[in-house]
Amino acid sequence: MPGHLKSSPIDTSCPLEPSGSGRSHTPRSLAVGRRAPIRSDSVPDRGRPNSYGSSASRRSERMLSAVQADADAEGRLDWSQAGVDSTSCRAHQHAAGARKAAPVSGPKGVPIHHRADEGLGRSRGGLTSKIHLACEGRLRPLALLVTPGQSHDGTVFEAVVEQIRVHRRGGGRPRTRPDVISADKAYSPRRIRSYLRRRQIPHAIPEKKDQARHRVARGSAGGRPPSFDRAAYKRRNEVERTINKLKGFRAVATRYDKRAYVFHGTVTVAAIRLWLRA
């Protein structure tokens, strides 16, 4: 049947589902509701199970956090290097037209990933959204963020890195710092390098040619050239390959969801699938 899942993903998600909420939550209905958007070309809200409410995005994030914590505890999470990059996704015409009033998710109020602009950018090419993400060395997402398609990569770098939080199964502070972060020249501003230096995270980010010319033109006032680890930068292809895997899901490659927080949940479900496959 459409949206059918094997037993292992359902068994993994069951302990994380809410109980005592007064609504009927069965493993199959919840799993079908989550996987439906990434299995079919377009599944409107009326096509999902009734138990698949607006709080599903929060539950999906808890599931992603849980599978990451399990992988870290079992030594299956590669902290040696994290890659940061973004990818643009074309938005279907049905993704436009969301109500201007902010959605309300029960007693918790507005969903955590709601955006007033709904993460849609308008250009001559049509509607686009951009997914910013950080991945670990085994091609699985650690953190992600949805913005309009015209957003520059460097403007949300700090927000993406701040979302890297892998909880420890036995308790204690979550791990938030990979050994190295690699990124392309879009992330070369001094602000980003200062942020990484302040958090004591080594990086492999090349310097733009115009930045190098300006630094040299200033003489001794321009300072020393930033350090650059060429060997670490060779692994930047890992984040590109992670994006390629994510966009293997049709509802991630093309956005059909009207609300930004719903599309964020769709991408989160795709990320969970990548973690469960490993």
Side-chain angles (χ1 to χ4, degrees), residues 25-44:
H25 292 276
T26 64
R28 178 169 298 280
S29 64
L30 287 163
V32 169
R34 286 194 183 89
R35 199 183 182 197
I38 61 175
R39 278 292 302 271
S40 60
D41 289 339
S42 176
V43 177

Side-chain angles (χ1 to χ4, degrees), residues 61-232:
E61 285 201 347
R62 291 200 298 268
M63 293 172 63
L64 178 60
S65 178
V67 296
Q68 289 175 347
D70 289 344
D72 189 33
E74 297 169 4
R76 295 184 291 106
L77 200 157
D78 185 2
W79 285 103
S80 63
Q81 184 165 323
V84 179
D85 206 348
S86 68
T87 180
S88 294
C89 304
R90 288 295 302 272
H92 193 269
Q93 60 181 354
H94 293 168
R99 295 180 179 179
K100 295 188 180 298
V104 178
S105 179
K108 295 185 178 180
V110 178
I112 187 173
H113 291 292
H114 169 67
R115 295 178 58 100
D117 56 16
E118 298 299 349
L120 284 175
R122 301 178 184 274
S123 64
R124 276 186 280 177
L127 300 174
T128 56
S129 292
K130 184 173 284 189
I131 302 172
H132 307 261
L133 62 87
C135 77
E136 48 95 46
R138 296 189 179 182
L139 313 186
R140 294 167 299 186
L142 287 171
L144 58 94
L145 190 67
V146 175
T147 65
Q150 75 273 11
S151 298
H152 189 272
D153 297 355
T155 59
V156 295
F157 177 84
E158 294 91 335
V160 173
V161 176
E162 290 288 343
Q163 289 191 26
I164 300 179
R165 295 178 61 87
V166 177
H167 295 273
R168 303 180 192 274
R169 184 185 290 175
R173 293 182 178 181
R175 179 161 182 179
T176 60
R177 295 187 302 174
D179 296 340
V180 181
I181 285 183
S182 63
D184 58 22
K185 293 183 179 181
Y187 302 93
S188 63
R190 291 186 178 181
R191 171 182 54 83
I192 291 178
R193 298 181 189 275
S194 299
Y195 167 78
L196 293 174
R197 191 180 307 113
R198 189 166 58 251
R199 292 200 55 190
Q200 300 180 0
I201 303 177
H203 61 80
I205 303 177
E207 186 182 25
K208 288 185 176 181
K209 291 183 178 180
D210 60 337
Q211 291 177 338
R213 285 198 303 267
H214 295 160
R215 176 176 48 80
V216 173
R218 295 181 62 190
S220 59
R224 294 177 298 179
S227 60
F228 178 59
D229 188 344
R230 293 184 178 273

